[in-house]
Amino acid sequence: MQPVSVPTPITVGIVDDDPMICQAMQLILNDYSRGRVTVTFMAHDGEDAVAKAREHHPDVVLMDIAMPNGDGITATSRLRRLPDPPHVLILTSLSPKGTVERAAEAGAEGFVSKTDAPEEIIDRIIRVREGRPQYNPASQRQLLADLHTHRPMTRRDEARTLLDSLSEREREAVLLAADGLTNQEIAARMFTSERTTKAHLSSASEKLCMNRVQLAQLVGRADLPSPLA
């Protein structure tokens, strides 16, 4: 009879500035996982978490957010840049506005609530180790809300930054062209020649790698006041 192989436990690091939370999570994972999970280290700030992760190479890290000496979002980003990065689940009791989006951008793959049942916490650790993101319905709703709030603003700001990279005269010509003025009308408004107007628009197109229609769309995204107002 061949010996029954025992699955290698998932190694976990726990990071929280409250030692009691770390101890409670350690007890939960060690006592309820039936050997499926083992805690390899505990840390109480971001700097210590990164240092211990380099030493112990955990499969998963449970990461608190608000901590001294390096917050959890920054620490998550640093952990995900390690040569053999661990999966990171944010350890929290709340999902403040903007936290879910920032955590996802830093490389976190989900959330674990400090008030979840032990089996739920363990299941989330197992699933994220398998490569399955662990965003509960509340965090999914918050992520969608954050993206809905911030993405339009980001697109607007990106468009404004591109327009600001043009010279003052190029930018003015582009804005007027986006309002539907012909080259002749733009030249009259800018007190210059039509040839110079064409040169400004051509230069703007080359700098931004956009044709006249795309430049008009860019101005629309920038949501700037009309120069004709």
Side-chain angles (χ1 to χ4, degrees):
M1 179 182 295
Q2 293 183 346
V4 178
S5 61
V6 179
T8 303
I10 297 171
T11 55
V12 176
I14 303 171
V15 186
D16 196 293
D17 63 341
D18 186 342
M20 293 186 64
I21 295 292
C22 287
Q23 292 170 7
M25 293 301 300
Q26 182 183 38
L27 287 172
I28 287 172
L29 298 183
N30 287 342
D31 292 353
Y32 286 86
S33 70
R34 301 188 301 276
R36 294 173 294 172
V37 175
T38 183
V39 176
T40 57
F41 75 83
M42 294 184 288
H44 305 305
D45 61 59
E47 287 290 336
D48 192 29
V50 174
K52 288 183 176 176
R54 289 182 186 275
E55 178 183 355
H56 295 282
H57 307 286
D59 297 314
V60 179
V61 171
L62 304 183
M63 177 71 70
D64 191 25
I65 296 175
M67 298 181 295
N69 198 24
D71 69 285
I73 303 296
T74 302
T76 295
S77 181
R78 293 179 62 191
L79 288 177
R80 294 297 298 165
R81 292 197 299 268
L82 292 177
D84 185 19
H87 300 274
V88 179
L89 292 172
I90 298 298
L91 181 62
T92 183
S93 54
L94 298 171
S95 293
K97 184 175 177 62
T99 296
V100 180
E101 183 184 13
R102 291 174 57 230
E105 289 176 348
E109 295 171 75
F111 282 71
V112 168
S113 173
K114 298 174 184 178
T115 59
D116 282 342
E119 278 299 331
E120 179 65 22
I121 295 173
I122 292 164
D123 285 346
R124 288 189 181 279
I125 290 171
I126 292 171
R127 289 196 292 264
V128 81
R129 178 66 178 83
E130 295 171 348
R132 293 185 283 171
Q134 296 302 299
Y135 288 97
N136 58 26
S139 59
Q140 288 176 346
R141 286 193 297 271
Q142 184 63 64
L143 179 58
L144 290 173
D146 291 340
L147 292 174
H148 178 76
T149 300
H150 294 121
R151 184 167 292 166
M153 182 66 71
T154 299
R155 283 171 57 82
R156 188 195 72 178
D157 291 345
E158 287 175 349
R160 291 185 175 186
T161 299
L162 287 173
L163 290 171
D164 287 343
S165 69
L166 302 175
S167 72
E168 183 178 349
R169 299 292 276 176
E170 291 167 350
R171 186 174 183 274
E172 184 180 0
V174 167
L175 294 180
L176 290 170
D179 265 334
L181 273 65
T182 65
N183 288 354
Q184 185 178 11
E185 291 170 331
I186 295 171
R189 188 163 182 97
M190 293 179 63
F191 302 102
T192 188
S193 68
E194 189 173 345
R195 180 178 178 179
T196 301
T197 295
K198 289 180 179 178
H200 288 323
L201 292 172
S202 177
S203 178
S205 294
E206 289 179 6
K207 285 182 179 179
L208 301 182
C209 299
M210 295 179 180
N211 59 33
R212 191 160 180 150
V213 173
Q214 291 171 323
L215 287 173
Q217 292 172 338
L218 181 69
V219 172
R221 288 201 304 272
D223 192 25
L224 295 167
S226 171
L228 301 178

